[in-house]
């Protein structure tokens, strides 16, 4: 029998990448083999994102390209999964009737069943709103053998006015600590040395759980300490904390757990209290900066990255100056900068005072120029130090590429396999990566 092949395209964030590992795992468990060629695929899956601008145009463009292939091969099955599937549901098959399966974020465990039903019953749709099987319970086909994403909670109980996540992922649902530990232990036994714990707001992990015979709920700090004890594991990362829910015990757990890496992604979004309020982000700029100071005091050398949105509705030049001021004071190592544009379904999309595109662009350019200069300064401070690099794979110009514990990308010479730990001396700095030379003596943490 000819091999059945699947083509999987992923858009969006780490949560989606992680879901795609589960989609690949499910399809592999049913006998499918991956391909990069749509023409030879029996199943094509688009795992979509609703956050990026023009996500729906991109999806329908991709579906349009597939239409002639589907006409030539009616047995090809086309699946739309992920956040856009959850948000748009039946509209997708109205606009693209050649789509066989629309499966939302909560219904992923039923993907194979939906595909089988599509064979006999025609187009299928499941965008149910309840997560009944946590993603960790599904088989996964992971991209890297040394690193794994581990989902500790899905959904979000916040309601940031620019964000579609609560609508498409639902309220927060945490995985019990024992289940997270079992997953991490299994990964460590199979050779994984680094895990990234994933949640929309890791600081509220456990709020929806109870511990048998205890009035206390598990906390994110408890989880960090427990995962830190897993034998064979060398690095723990997590993303993302919400500044509003940050607590001293998380800093203490980070500082005292040797496997927790010296990097934190701490989303700012805006440096204006007025805009933060309009975004429904319930921290304020001075509180945010105080948290950063406390984190840096407790964990010397920690690297900090952030997210910033420019041009939120009603943002004035003064508000934007507040953002530039916080960026200067925070001296981020890296920042993911976004130009605000309305996302259908969010509260901010209906707000008055949307900022004209050219003003957003001009502010964005100023922010990027400032942050690039700060990133380069921060990188230059690393030159002359040594660092432990975990090799991820081939980089540019025949060099290897890896990351320090501080999440800085390092390009290095020599033959190194993914998963190797190499001590390097930092010899060059660029805004987004460092140059390193392998050394023999043990490295200090940078
Ligand atoms: S915390 Fe806010 S931005 Fe993050 S997922 Fe929840 S609603 Fe979206």
């Amino acid at each position: 029998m000819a091999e059945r092949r699947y083509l999987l395209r992923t858009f969006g964030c780490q949560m989606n990448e992680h879901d795609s590992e589960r989609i690949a795992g499910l399809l592999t468990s049913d006998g499918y083999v991956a391909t990069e060629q749509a023409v030879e695929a029996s199943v094509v899956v688009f795992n979509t994102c609703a956050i990026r601008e023009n996500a729906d145009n991109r999806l329908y463009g991709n579906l349009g390209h597939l239409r002639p292939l589907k006409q030539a091969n009616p047995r090809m099955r086309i699946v739309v999964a992920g956040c856009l599937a959850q948000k748009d549901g039946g509209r997708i098959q109205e606009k693209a009737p050649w789509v066989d399966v629309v499966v939302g974020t909560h219904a992923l465990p039923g993907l194979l069943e939906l595909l089988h039903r599509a064979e006999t019953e025609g187009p299928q749709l499941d965008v149910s709103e309840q997560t009944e099987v946590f993603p960790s319970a599904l088989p996964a086909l992971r991209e890297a053998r040394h690193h794994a994403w581990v989902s500790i909670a899905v959904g979000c109980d916040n309601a940031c006015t620019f964000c579609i996540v609560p609508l498409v992922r639902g309220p927060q649902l945490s995985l019990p600590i024992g289940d997270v530990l079992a997953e991490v232990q299994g990964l460590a036994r199979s050779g994984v040395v680094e895990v990234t714990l994933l949640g929309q707001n890791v600081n509220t992990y456990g709020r929806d759980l109870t511990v048998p015979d205890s009035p206390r709920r598990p906390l994110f700090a408890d989880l960090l300490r427990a995962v830190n004890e897993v034998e064979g594991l060398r690095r723990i990362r997590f993303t993302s904390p919400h500044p509003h829910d940050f607590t001293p015990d998380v800093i203490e757990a980070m500082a005292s757990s040797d496997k927790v890496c010296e990097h934190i992604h701490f989303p700012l979004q805006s440096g204006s209290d007025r805009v933060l309020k309009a975004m429904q982000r319930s921290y304020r700029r001075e509180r945010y900066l105080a948290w950063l100071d406390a984190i840096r005091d407790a964990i010397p050398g920690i690297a900090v990255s952030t997210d910033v949105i420019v041009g939120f509705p009603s943002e004035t030049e003064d508000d934007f100056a507040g953002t530039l001021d916080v960026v200067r004071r925070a001296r981020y190592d890296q920042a993911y900068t976004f130009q605000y544009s309305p996302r259908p379904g969010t509260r901010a999309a209906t707000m008055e005072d949307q900022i004209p595109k050219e003003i957003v662009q001009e502010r964005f350019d100023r922010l990027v120029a400032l942050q690039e200069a700060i990133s380069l300064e921060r990188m230059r401070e690393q030159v002359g130090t040594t660092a432990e690099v975990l090799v991820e794979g081939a980089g540019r110009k025949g060099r290897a590429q890896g990351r320090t514990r501080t999440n800085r990308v390092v390009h290095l010479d020599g033959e190194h396999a993914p998963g190797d730990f190499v001590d390097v001396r930092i010899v060059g700095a660029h805004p987004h990566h460092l140059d390193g030379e392998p050394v023999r003596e043990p490295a200090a943490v940078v």
Side-chain angles (χ1 to χ4, degrees):
M1 197 173 94
E3 257 179 351
R4 294 180 305 156
R5 295 176 186 270
Y6 71 88
L7 171 69
L8 174 56
R9 288 273 175 266
T10 308
F11 303 92
C13 66
Q14 289 146 339
M15 202 64 84
N16 263 20
E17 283 178 32
H18 182 57
D19 281 352
S20 280
E21 291 180 341
R22 304 289 172 187
I23 292 171
L26 281 167
L27 291 168
T28 305
S29 73
D30 202 38
Y32 288 90
V33 176
T35 178
E36 283 302 306
Q37 306 299 326
V39 69
E40 61 180 32
S42 329
V43 174
V44 178
V45 184
F46 292 111
N47 191 14
T48 61
C49 168
I51 293 179
R52 299 278 179 264
E53 191 174 12
N54 292 326
D56 45 356
N57 288 344
R58 267 174 88 179
L59 172 66
Y60 292 111
N62 282 319
L63 291 174
H65 286 132
L66 274 188
R67 193 176 191 180
L69 284 181
K70 170 89 180 174
Q71 280 165 342
N73 173 18
R75 290 190 63 82
M76 173 193 263
R77 297 286 164 252
I78 300 174
V79 179
V80 179
C83 294
L84 207 57
Q86 186 71 37
K87 183 168 91 59
D88 285 359
R91 279 204 298 276
I92 292 174
Q93 281 156 323
E94 276 166 31
K95 286 174 90 166
W98 58 98
V99 170
D100 298 279
V101 174
V102 173
V103 55
T105 51
H106 305 274
L108 210 48
L111 173 64
L112 293 180
E113 173 67 23
L114 290 166
L115 269 172
H116 294 154
R117 287 221 308 260
E119 298 284 336
T120 50
E121 299 170 18
Q124 299 291 314
L125 165 78
D126 188 347
V127 288
S128 49
E129 305 230 321
Q130 206 68 29
T131 297
E132 277 163 18
V133 179
F134 206 84
S136 314
L138 306 177
L141 188 69
R142 299 186 187 272
E143 286 233 325
R145 291 173 64 177
H146 61 279
H147 171 268
W149 309 107
V150 175
S151 181
I152 62 166
V154 292
C156 181
D157 294 333
N158 288 321
C160 303
T161 52
F162 55 81
C163 182
I164 196 80
V165 166
L167 190 76
V168 293
R169 296 266 175 182
Q172 178 177 285
L173 188 65
S174 305
L175 188 66
I177 284 192
D179 293 8
V180 177
L181 275 182
E183 185 176 355
V184 176
Q185 283 159 348
L187 289 165
R189 278 197 298 274
S190 72
V192 167
V193 288
E194 179 182 81
V195 292
T196 303
L197 308 178
L198 279 183
Q200 300 293 352
N201 177 8
V202 292
N203 291 109
T204 52
Y205 167 81
R207 266 189 200 170
D208 51 311
L209 294 173
T210 49
V211 179
D213 304 323
S214 166
R216 191 171 166 275
R217 296 180 191 286
L219 300 170
F220 183 58
D222 301 332
L223 182 70
L224 279 182
R225 290 195 189 93
V227 175
N228 194 58
E229 297 304 314
V230 174
E231 226 173 285
L233 196 64
R234 299 221 359 211
R235 291 182 171 189
I236 302 167
R237 302 187 184 280
F238 59 86
T239 195
S240 294
H242 190 301
H244 169 64
D245 299 303
F246 212 72
T247 48
D249 65 329
V250 171
I251 300 181
E252 208 285 315
M254 290 176 69
S256 62
S257 303
D258 60 326
K259 293 174 187 168
V260 176
C261 290
E262 294 77 14
H263 168 247
I264 189 163
H265 186 71
F266 208 54
L268 169 68
Q269 307 303 5
S270 171
S272 153
D273 285 351
R274 198 190 61 77
V275 173
L276 286 171
K277 201 168 168 204
M279 288 176 166
Q280 223 157 286
R281 302 279 293 180
S282 40
Y283 51 90
R284 297 295 172 255
R285 51 182 273 145
E286 293 306 322
R287 182 81 193 112
Y288 175 95
L289 287 164
W291 273 125
L292 265 194
D293 287 345
I295 293 166
R296 283 177 164 145
D297 285 350
I299 307 164
I302 190 168
V304 182
S305 56
T306 198
D307 296 325
V308 184
I309 297 174
V310 177
F312 189 79
S314 84
E315 181 190 76
T316 63
E317 184 55 34
D318 262 10
D319 293 322
F320 179 64
T323 296
L324 293 180
D325 180 53
V326 174
V327 167
R328 263 185 220 107
R329 289 165 65 188
R331 296 196 73 230
Y332 298 111
D333 292 271
Q334 297 290 338
Y336 300 91
T337 46
F338 302 92
Q339 298 188 25
Y340 175 81
S341 65
R343 299 288 183 273
T346 61
R347 285 212 5 237
T350 61
M351 288 178 179
E352 289 175 1
D353 268 349
Q354 300 282 330
I355 308 294
K357 170 82 182 136
E358 58 280 11
I359 295 181
V360 178
Q361 181 71 51
E362 190 272 331
R363 288 179 188 163
F364 179 79
D365 292 345
R366 274 190 281 157
L367 174 65
V368 169
L370 172 63
Q371 181 54 47
E372 289 281 295
I374 295 170
S375 292
L376 184 57
E377 275 172 29
R378 302 286 285 169
M379 289 298 217
R380 283 185 175 144
E381 288 162 15
Q382 310 308 313
V383 174
T385 62
T386 52
E388 175 200 83
V389 169
L390 172 56
V391 176
E392 293 176 340
R396 278 180 295 175
K397 299 183 187 162
R399 306 177 86 199
Q401 179 173 311
R403 275 174 207 267
T404 63
R405 285 175 58 98
T406 50
N407 209 34
R408 295 186 174 102
V409 173
V410 179
H411 294 177
L412 63 156
D413 292 329
E415 297 276 308
H416 308 285
D420 284 355
F421 284 94
V422 185
D423 293 335
V424 300
R425 182 173 303 285
I426 304 302
V427 295
H430 311 268
H432 303 289
H433 76 272
L434 296 166
D435 295 317
E437 286 175 352
V439 291
R440 290 228 165 79
E441 69 266 29
V445 167
V446 298

